[in-house]
Amino acid sequence: MSHAQRLKQRIEDEIVSGELALGSRLDENQLAARFGVSRTPIREALLQLAATGLIQTKPRRGAIVSVPEPHLLLAMFETMAEIEAACGRLAARRLTADDAAALQGALSGCRDAMMTEDAEAYYAENYVFHTVVYRASHNDFLADQALSLHRRLAPYRRLQLRVRQRVPQSLAEHEAIVAAILAGDATQAADALRSHVIVQGDRFTDLVAGLRPPSAA
């Protein structure tokens, strides 16, 4: 992995974790000073991140953490919902004893995190839960695509969990997903995951309302 790729990964992790806020400006000089490197690998890393859509360049502002237009955000969640539905359908058909144990363990982690009433703790367990579902599909290409888009949408999935009562609702949806997969019901597993991921109506309105536009500075 090149120096620029390592920097790209570190910056991406900070965006996914929420340490770099949506709409925040990414100053090359400040990043170079913080990471102790020249501007060249920083510039290369930002170009790589721009290619993924996590950041975008704005006239007179340089690079900022992306805040996509609502129609694009909806399209991404629709795509994510279909990919996760496919993972759930295959997981229900191909489930192994190890997969079942991993799913139940991940669900238990989500349940424990919900009891802490800490949305960030729940988000960490939620991430584990979804990656377990991806692996249980036993389709490495599909799992890689799911994980990639999950990370792309991570800042927005995190925002959803801050909405009142969304965490307990999410846990109930996880329980339904696990029940369907363990029962071998491929159709129900796909439907449960699709409904869990898609954002419509009030959920989408709440998500858009939670986005913070870039500063005019």
Side-chain angles (χ1 to χ4, degrees):
M1 181 180 292
S2 70
H3 199 29
Q5 288 173 321
R6 285 192 293 271
L7 289 167
K8 178 251 186 186
Q9 186 64 59
R10 291 182 65 180
I11 297 169
E12 179 179 332
D13 288 343
E14 291 186 5
I15 294 172
V16 169
S17 70
E19 186 174 344
L20 287 171
L22 298 173
S24 61
R25 183 169 177 265
L26 301 175
D27 183 87
E28 291 182 9
N29 290 324
Q30 291 178 359
L31 290 171
R34 182 152 70 88
F35 292 119
V37 298
S38 71
R39 289 177 59 189
T40 298
I42 291 293
R43 189 176 298 113
E44 292 175 5
L46 294 180
L47 286 172
Q48 292 176 25
L49 284 167
T52 71
L54 270 176
I55 71 169
Q56 55 188 178
T57 57
K58 293 281 189 178
R60 298 182 298 280
R61 295 201 66 225
I64 64 168
V65 179
S66 291
V67 181
E69 293 296 325
H71 72 278
L72 177 58
L73 191 59
L74 178 59
M76 288 192 290
F77 270 100
E78 286 180 342
T79 303
M80 184 82 258
E82 294 303 324
I83 290 176
E84 294 221 12
C87 288
R89 181 170 56 252
L90 291 177
R93 289 168 45 188
R94 300 172 176 177
L95 194 71
T96 67
D98 286 344
D99 294 331
L103 277 170
Q104 291 168 322
L107 181 60
S108 179
C110 290
R111 190 176 292 116
D112 291 344
M114 187 201 73
M115 298 301 292
T116 69
E117 298 184 355
D118 182 341
E120 288 302 310
Y122 183 84
Y123 178 78
E125 296 299 333
N126 176 72
Y127 180 82
V128 172
F129 176 84
H130 284 272
T131 58
V132 169
V133 174
Y134 304 159
R135 290 197 301 271
S137 72
H138 293 278
N139 181 317
D140 290 343
F141 181 80
L142 180 63
D144 284 346
Q145 297 302 305
L147 186 58
S148 177
L149 189 50
H150 188 120
R151 287 182 64 81
R152 173 68 179 85
L153 286 171
Y156 317 107
R157 295 180 82 145
R158 174 181 281 101
L159 277 177
Q160 289 188 82
L161 294 177
R162 297 176 184 170
V163 174
R164 182 177 174 84
Q165 293 301 309
R166 178 55 192 155
V167 168
Q169 181 184 356
S170 173
L171 177 63
E173 292 166 5
H174 283 186
E175 291 172 339
I177 290 164
V178 170
I181 293 175
L182 294 181
D185 189 334
T187 299
Q188 183 58 36
D191 288 346
L193 271 155
R194 184 182 296 107
S195 297
H196 175 62
V197 175
I198 198 67
V199 285
Q200 296 175 329
D202 290 342
R203 279 184 64 191
F204 187 65
T205 300
D206 290 339
L207 175 59
V208 172
L211 298 177
R212 293 294 179 264
S215 166

